[in-house]
Amino acid sequence: MSRKPMAAPKVAVIGAGSWGTTFGKILADGGSNVTMWARRPEQALEIRESKRNSQYLPGINLPRSMTATPHLSEALEGAEQIFLSIPSQTARENLKAIRPLIAGSDAPIISLMKGVEKSSGLRMSQVIEQELQIDPARIAVASGPNLALEIAREQPTAAVISSTSRETAEAVARLASNKYFRTFVNTDVTGTEFGGVLKNLIAVAIGIVDGVGYGENTKASIITRGLVEMTDFAVAYGAEPETLQGLAGLGDLIATCQSPLSRNNTAGRLLGQGYSMKDVVKQMNQTAEGLASVAPVLQLAKEVGVDMPIVRQVKMVLDGQMNPRDIAPHLTTDDDTPKGERTQYGQAGGGGALRRALKRAFDQFRDGGRSASGD
């Protein structure tokens, strides 16, 4: 007797911007039937009928197993996993609309968002838990060096799925994997989320100095010291330092800082070229999460006594209190007092962190990902 083939999993992706649509493609190419929720009916129609999202992913053909709807209830109906790709600052109001529609569901909720809520300072997984009133074990987050257009073009990359429940992380990772997208897992949600938030702030700094015209030495110094700031901050909130030296920290930091595809890098570059914050927001076609996260991150840092000189100087530029050209000398040192390179928490920052993290990444790929117990 022939075995009946298993039905493809049905998943929902809420938000049809560049990253949401790209993740929908990842899931569809991994074997799932994907329903996107798009706020604008004309965008949903284009995805459904033409298998395109020309505004956000020009030139990309989407899989036949992807469809879209402007109706939340239709997108969520029967979904076995629900992925959220909406701006962090509007997440709460969207979650209020989602809550009654998933009342009878036990589907995992996965955050694709990389931001901190400005009003509360909460991470996105905390906002999800608060608004949906669900067990944290059902919540996962995805992060890593994930520039949407490169992945949509099926250029190989890796990411991390993190949940307090290892079982949830592995269930999500199984669906979010395909021939060009490799997924690792961990249970350090705090470190994974903060890595995705904090690297945006460092990317804005890189964009600023790039816009001013400074070169590779300046940018390498900021990336390296930025990793130290990221690690100090995340560890103070309970993260594992190794997470910040993995895909969700260093990997995402490198990709976001060096690519013109990065929205945060682009926003910083416009600031460095002399545009005001208001003009930058007006010019950006998509949300640069780093701009909204600077103030709440600095407040959170203050509450645990962590010094973040790079992020602090970025805020001064955003507020118009510092000329972008004056920022570079302040990004790598706060004063003339000689300081050690190690982080405040005893984990080697700078070159040491870079060497170990790069070696670790090389070992993982050399071993074909067999060391997937962490990211």
Side-chain angles (χ1 to χ4, degrees):
M1 182 183 294
S2 61
R3 182 174 294 179
K4 192 175 181 179
M6 292 181 63
K10 183 182 186 303
V11 300
V13 179
I14 308 304
S18 58
W19 184 222
T21 307
T22 296
F23 215 91
K25 183 179 187 302
I26 290 166
L27 294 162
D29 287 339
S32 295
N33 286 325
V34 179
T35 303
M36 307 287 303
W37 173 76
R39 182 173 52 85
R40 292 181 290 109
E42 63 272 21
Q43 187 184 21
L45 180 65
E46 184 187 28
I47 294 171
R48 185 170 65 248
E49 300 295 334
S50 303
K51 304 303 179 188
R52 291 289 187 104
N53 188 345
S54 53
Q55 180 180 354
Y56 292 106
L57 294 177
I60 300 298
N61 294 317
L62 302 176
R64 293 176 63 84
S65 53
M66 279 181 73
T67 189
T69 175
H71 306 294
L72 262 179
S73 58
E74 189 177 334
L76 293 168
E77 186 178 1
E80 297 171 40
Q81 294 184 9
I82 300 165
F83 294 79
L84 303 176
S85 184
I86 46 185
S88 60
Q89 304 311 314
T90 60
R92 194 176 290 275
E93 61 187 75
N94 282 284
L95 289 166
K96 288 182 189 298
I98 289 170
R99 184 181 169 189
L101 300 174
I102 62 167
S105 169
D106 60 357
I109 310 293
I110 304 94
S111 169
L112 306 178
M113 303 173 284
K114 296 181 179 180
V116 172
E117 189 176 45
K118 200 169 183 178
S119 59
S120 66
L122 294 177
R123 292 177 281 112
M124 290 297 100
S125 66
Q126 294 173 307
V127 175
I128 291 169
E129 180 185 353
Q130 199 174 81
E131 282 300 326
L132 297 185
Q133 297 185 8
I134 59 174
D135 186 337
R138 277 179 61 189
I139 300 170
V141 301
S143 197
N146 301 148
L147 296 163
L149 190 56
E150 288 187 3
I151 299 172
R153 290 171 175 162
E154 302 187 8
Q155 296 179 14
T157 192
V160 183
I161 303 294
S162 181
S163 174
T164 57
S165 163
R166 180 83 180 199
E167 183 180 358
T168 297
E170 290 179 351
V172 175
R174 278 191 286 272
L175 296 192
S177 296
N178 59 44
K179 64 181 181 180
Y180 58 85
F181 194 81
R182 182 59 185 271
T183 310
F184 297 87
V185 298
N186 72 33
T187 55
D188 181 13
V189 175
T190 301
T192 300
E193 278 193 292
F194 274 140
V197 171
L198 298 170
K199 59 87 188 182
N200 284 335
L201 314 189
I202 307 304
V204 173
I206 291 291
I208 291 171
V209 300
D210 198 27
V212 166
Y214 292 129
E216 301 309 314
N217 290 336
T218 306
K219 289 184 274 190
S221 299
I222 294 168
I223 289 173
T224 307
R225 296 309 300 169
L227 181 61
V228 173
E229 289 191 23
M230 290 169 60
T231 303
D232 282 349
F233 179 99
V235 170
Y237 277 95
E240 296 293 332
E242 291 81 5
T243 304
L244 278 296
Q245 296 171 17
L247 290 165
L250 177 63
D252 203 1
L253 178 66
I254 291 171
T256 308
C257 285
Q258 64 85 39
S259 175
L261 295 174
S262 162
R263 288 168 284 183
N264 294 283
N265 183 297
T266 300
R269 192 163 59 251
L270 291 170
L271 289 165
Q273 291 170 352
Y275 289 91
S276 69
M277 172 74 160
K278 185 178 179 181
D279 289 338
V280 169
V281 172
K282 191 181 297 183
Q283 284 206 37
M284 297 290 291
N285 185 38
Q286 301 180 61
T287 304
E289 293 283 13
L291 300 181
S293 296
V294 171
V297 164
L298 283 174
Q299 179 58 38
L300 289 169
K302 182 179 178 182
E303 289 173 7
V304 290
V306 171
D307 189 28
M308 303 187 79
I310 295 176
V311 179
R312 191 168 64 250
Q313 301 294 336
V314 168
K315 186 175 189 302
M316 292 178 70
V317 172
L318 293 177
D319 292 344
Q321 297 174 355
M322 176 179 281
N323 186 316
R325 184 164 290 280
D326 295 334
I327 194 172
H330 302 281
L331 282 170
T332 52
T333 182
D334 235 1
D335 54 45
D336 293 332
T337 307
K339 295 181 179 179
E341 195 180 20
R342 298 178 74 82
T343 75
Q344 159 178 350
Y345 289 91
Q347 300 296 323
L354 285 165
R355 284 192 297 273
R356 283 199 309 279
L358 290 171
K359 181 180 183 302
R360 192 158 169 257
F362 172 78
D363 289 344
Q364 284 183 341
F365 282 105
R366 182 195 61 196
D367 296 340
R370 287 191 291 274
S371 55
S373 56
D375 61 302

